[in-house]
Structures are given as structure tokens and as C-alpha cells.
Amino acid sequence: MKTLMTLFYKELVESLRNGKWIWLPIAFIIIGISQPLANYYMPQILESAGNMPEGTVIEIPTPTGEEVLSSTLSQFGSIGTLLFVLAAMGVIANERQNGSLTLVMVRPVSPFQYITSKWFSQILISIVSLFLSYGLTWYYTNLLFNPVKWDTMLTSLVIYSLWIVFIISVTILLGTLLKSAGGIAGVSILILGGLSLASSLFTKYTKWSPANLRSHASAVLLEGGLLENGWLVIWTTLGLSLLLIAVAALNFKRFEQF
């Protein structure tokens, strides 16, 4: 446990040095707060854009606070997935390229400790970034629209966070199989995008899919609870994430030679 905590602390310090603790939260905060602001000021934005016939009256139905937060989760689902992959794609590849991986593994460090330290640190950074962004979005939503209960907001956040855990797990696994950070990012996005597309097209056969977590998080906001098969999706996501990390540790032990 001491070795794992040492590696975990090293990852957090390294993320601070390379700016990940700065750019990732800022990027998510911009994405998050832009949603309630854009919804609130949309009539003024359209009016100032010009090219509208004289006397045109712009009437846009005011969304509820729950709808604003749900649309924010949709933004996180597309742009956010890309950012999470970009943040995690080089955690192993970069150490391979600069030789620091060898310096770490010549010490009494097991592959499982090495992989899980990467996994936990990237999950922590990603979820903290999401929490800051979603929390500020919730604050501005309450100011500009109707208030949303804090427990409803937190429940949707926790459910969506499981999707982040799955994204990081996929990216870490591919980091043990591929040596190029660009290749890791490309294949990760391909897998995650393919899973999301399959979940949309073949809903009957993909009720278990982790990609459905975004729909369940939105349902908590809009309908007050999970959709059908919500717990199946949650437990499947947790199980697949743990399985992916276990396979990543086995692959790392098999392919790395020191």
C-alpha cells in the first residue's frame, strides 16, 4: 500500500508540473458555464447577430434548470470524452519515450501498483475537473433559471462520473498495448465513439452499455430517477472498468521487459 500511495502521489505531482491540473479544469469550466449563459442570453445573441427582418420578434421558450443541466451533460458527452482521452493518453506512453518507466520499474514496484496508480490519479483529476465545472454550472443555472435541488445535481454527477471511470480504464488499457500517444487517443476515441453509436442504434441489445450512463444521468434531472435497466448499466460499467484495469496490469507485466 505504501508503494501504491507513493506512486499515486508521484502521478499527482507530475500532473501538476505538466499543467494538467490547470488546463483540464479550466476547459471543463468554460464548457460548463457556457451552457446556462448561452441559453439565457440566446435571444439577445440572435438579435445582435443581425440580418433579421425589421419588426421580427424572437421568442424562445425558457428552459428549466433541469433541462439546462441535462444539455450540459450532453456537451460533456462529446467534447468531454475527447478531453478525458487527451488527458490520459500519454500517462504510460510518455514515460516509455523519456525512459523514466525503466527507472520506476527497476525498483520493487509491481505492474498492478504501477497501473492502478495511473488509474486512480487520472480518475481523481478528471472527476475534480468535472465537479468544479458542473458545480459552477449548477450555480449559474440556479441564478438564471429555476433552482435545481443539490441532491439531484449530485446524483446525476455521480452517475455521469462512472462514464469517466470507463473512459480512463479504456485509455489506460490501450496505453499498455500501444506505444504512441496519438495511436492510444485515436483507438480510444474510436472504441468509445463506436460504443456510443452502437448504443444509439441497437438499443435492444445494448441496454447494459456504459454509454447509456449519460442518458441515465439526464433522466435523474428530468424524470427524478434512473431509466429502466439503470442499475444494470451501473454495475456493468463498474465491472468492465475493473476488468479492463486487471487486463491492463497483465498486459503490462507480459510485454514490458526490464
Side-chain angles (χ1 to χ4, degrees):
M1 180 60 71
K2 183 178 179 180
T3 302
L4 177 60
M5 292 305 298
T6 301
L7 290 172
F8 177 71
Y9 178 74
K10 180 188 78 71
E11 291 300 319
L12 296 181
V13 172
E14 181 64 27
S15 296
L16 182 61
R17 289 175 178 172
N18 61 30
K20 193 179 298 182
W21 275 106
I22 299 175
W23 69 261
L24 190 59
I26 290 176
F28 268 90
I29 288 172
I30 293 174
I31 295 172
I33 64 176
S34 64
Q35 197 66 30
L37 293 177
N39 278 276
Y40 186 78
Y41 292 107
M42 184 58 67
Q44 293 89 330
I45 294 173
L46 293 177
E47 184 177 352
S48 63
N51 298 324
M52 303 290 290
E54 186 177 352
T56 299
V57 178
I58 302 174
E59 293 185 1
I60 300 177
T62 302
T64 64
E66 291 81 3
E67 290 172 340
V68 173
L69 289 180
S70 177
S71 62
T72 302
L73 291 179
S74 298
Q75 290 290 336
F76 288 157
S78 53
I79 304 175
T81 297
L82 175 61
L83 290 175
F84 288 132
V85 170
L86 293 177
M89 67 180 183
V91 291
I92 298 177
N94 291 341
E95 292 192 351
R96 275 181 172 148
Q97 294 173 2
N98 61 28
S100 60
L101 178 58
T102 303
L103 296 177
V104 172
M105 298 306 295
V106 293
R107 300 177 181 181
V109 174
S110 70
F112 177 77
Q113 291 171 331
Y114 179 81
I115 293 298
T116 51
S117 68
K118 300 284 187 183
W119 188 54
F120 284 131
S121 63
Q122 295 307 307
I123 288 176
L124 178 61
I125 296 170
S126 299
I127 290 181
V128 167
S129 301
L130 177 66
F131 177 80
L132 292 174
S133 175
Y134 201 52
L136 283 173
T137 303
W138 174 69
Y139 172 76
Y140 279 104
T141 298
N142 287 345
L143 286 180
L144 302 175
F145 303 93
N146 64 283
V148 179
K149 294 180 179 179
W150 67 270
D151 55 339
T152 300
M153 181 273 291
L154 283 179
T155 302
S156 66
L157 174 65
V158 170
I159 294 173
Y160 187 85
S161 296
L162 297 177
W163 173 242
I164 298 175
V165 173
F166 183 73
I167 293 172
I168 301 299
S169 302
V170 170
T171 308
I172 293 293
L173 173 60
L174 290 173
T176 65
L177 299 173
L178 305 173
K179 295 186 177 182
S180 167
I184 294 169
V187 177
S188 297
I189 293 171
L190 184 63
I191 292 174
L192 295 168
L195 181 62
S196 298
L197 180 61
S199 300
S200 300
L201 296 178
F202 309 106
T203 55
K204 181 179 179 181
Y205 304 102
T206 56
K207 296 178 180 180
W208 53 269
S209 173
N212 294 326
L213 284 167
R214 291 169 290 179
S215 299
H216 289 287
S218 294
V220 169
L221 294 167
L222 301 175
E223 302 180 22
L226 295 170
L227 298 173
E228 186 181 0
N229 301 308
W231 285 105
L232 172 63
V233 176
I234 289 173
W235 288 113
T236 300
T237 302
L238 290 173
L240 284 176
S241 298
L242 294 175
L243 178 62
L244 290 171
I245 290 304
V247 174
L250 291 174
N251 279 336
F252 189 79
K253 180 179 180 179
R254 178 181 177 185
F255 294 118
E256 293 295 336
Q257 301 292 329
F258 303 103

